[in-house]
Amino acid sequence: MYCEDSAADEIEHVRPKSFYPDKTFVWENYLAACGRCDGSKSNRFHVISTRHRELFEVERKQSEPVTPPEPGGMLLIDPRREDPLRFLKLDLVYPFHFHAIESRVCLARVRAAYTIHVLGLNARDTLLKRRRAAYGTYVARLKEYISERDPERRGRMAYEICGLDHPTVWREIQRQHRAIDELRSLFEQAPEALAWRGALPAASPP
Ligand SMILES: [Zn+2]
């Protein structure tokens, strides 16, 4: 759920269990993550303090007793409850980096930069290559869909596009299509593809 590389084999505690032992077995505190994301985030966790309206790093030395951490919302973008694309923009040219979206809300930019840094979203060569490959795959599949005439096969192709890795690459292709000549032309031929979503596929299953 963090890097979207479909390699998740760990249950990640969004609020680290070292600081929030009461959330160790709480379903709402879990998400599926890969080892690289889990290792990168580890116990790094900041909250936006509800009492002081400041950022607090939650920390505790191993020898110290567990005390209730500073109360507040998490600084990390929560992909289960928030749409990361409200905060982040992905470049669709190499090196396929994420950036904070320009916003008048300073906290939104801080949360975007923090999330990119803590999860190492721009720091892993493999991820950058996989995003570039995903871009090529999405464009190729969309071209195949456009040249296919059989309605049943078209439906299946649309459904498959919605299930590919790196769905954020697809959402950015949709969001940025007007700015890139090749994409603009493709969506003019298949405007319905602008509504296809990985999590909420508009297309019917085969
Ligand atoms: Zn990951």
Side-chain angles (χ1 to χ4, degrees), residues 112-125:
Y114 176 84
T115 301
I116 293 166
H117 174 68
V118 164
L119 298 177
L121 294 180
N122 292 342
R124 289 184 244 161
D125 281 347

Side-chain angles (χ1 to χ4, degrees), residues 176-193:
Q176 298 179 36
H177 76 279
R178 285 192 189 87
I180 299 170
D181 288 346
E182 183 186 28
L183 299 182
R184 190 172 56 241
S185 160
L186 291 174
F187 283 102
E188 278 169 6
Q189 298 169 73
E192 67 276 20

Side-chain angles (χ1 to χ4, degrees), residues 105-188:
V105 184
C106 177
L107 184 58
R109 296 197 308 270
V110 171
R111 293 188 68 199
Y114 176 84
T115 301
I116 293 166
H117 174 68
V118 164
L119 298 177
L121 294 180
N122 292 342
R124 289 184 244 161
D125 281 347
T126 323
L127 268 186
L128 310 185
K129 286 176 187 158
R130 296 264 297 159
R131 284 182 205 135
R132 179 165 67 172
Y135 179 81
T137 304
Y138 279 118
V139 170
R141 293 290 191 92
L142 188 54
K143 285 178 180 171
E144 284 169 19
Y145 168 85
I146 289 167
S147 58
E148 177 59 59
R149 289 288 149 243
D150 180 72
E152 196 177 316
R153 261 185 253 148
R154 278 168 74 92
R156 195 159 53 235
M157 286 170 157
Y159 186 74
E160 282 169 6
I161 287 175
C162 292
L164 294 173
D165 290 351
H166 292 275
T168 290
V169 172
W170 173 246
R171 288 191 60 198
E172 284 291 21
I173 285 173
Q174 293 171 315
R175 183 161 75 166
Q176 298 179 36
H177 76 279
R178 285 192 189 87
I180 299 170
D181 288 346
E182 183 186 28
L183 299 182
R184 190 172 56 241
S185 160
L186 291 174
F187 283 102
E188 278 169 6

